[in-house]
Amino acid sequence: MNNNCSKYEGLFTFSDEETLKQHIEECEECKLEHEKMQKVSNLIGEVKFYYKSKQRQARKLRAVCAALFLIVFTTTFGVVNMDEDLADNLAYNTLSAEDYGFPVDSYGLILVDE
């Protein structure tokens, strides 16, 4: 039968630090597991700066893109708004059946003779 201790995860997650330290001092398997966890924690601590600097760069890039979009949008909107001829050319004009020369009834539908 396998008599391995499986208390480390439960003590680490749910108990206080004193209880965990007492158990680590008594149990050799949990002591090894705790050492592994400390090594992983140290590795995470080493790469944390690199990861955060990448996040910072991504945030700066998003801010620059948003600013560039606003500048282009406001400039384009300003030019179109000030130049009335250009705004008239860009406006979408819908033509009706009557504009195309078809006979229409009072509802604006094409008149069909029977």
Side-chain angles (χ1 to χ4, degrees):
M1 204 176 223
N2 198 357
N3 290 333
N4 291 340
C5 181
S6 59
K7 294 180 182 179
Y8 181 77
E9 184 177 349
L11 289 172
F12 184 79
T13 306
F14 298 113
S15 71
D16 59 346
E17 199 168 319
E18 283 298 318
T19 309
L20 179 63
K21 285 183 181 180
Q22 284 178 345
H23 183 73
I24 288 173
E25 289 173 2
E26 296 170 3
C27 180
E28 191 64 33
E29 291 177 24
C30 290
K31 187 175 186 177
L32 293 173
E33 185 72 22
H34 186 68
E35 289 173 3
K36 287 180 191 177
M37 290 296 203
Q38 291 300 320
K39 288 179 184 178
V40 170
S41 179
N42 291 338
L43 286 174
I44 291 172
E46 287 179 19
V47 297
K48 183 170 43 172
F49 175 74
Y50 177 74
Y51 180 71
K52 286 192 176 197
S53 67
K54 285 286 188 184
Q55 285 181 334
R56 213 173 289 129
Q57 287 175 350
R59 271 189 252 129
K60 285 180 184 177
L61 181 64
R62 277 185 261 156
V64 168
C65 288
L68 184 64
F69 173 76
L70 285 174
I71 290 170
V72 169
F73 177 74
T74 54
T75 304
T76 304
F77 184 71
V79 167
V80 169
N81 200 18
M82 293 300 219
D83 190 4
E84 293 177 9
D85 293 333
L86 182 62
D88 289 339
N89 289 338
L90 294 177
Y92 181 72
N93 296 326
T94 58
L95 297 174
S96 64
E98 189 177 14
D99 294 334
Y100 284 119
F102 293 111
V104 295
D105 60 4
S106 61
Y107 294 109
L109 301 173
I110 298 175
L111 185 65
V112 180
D113 293 330
E114 289 185 28

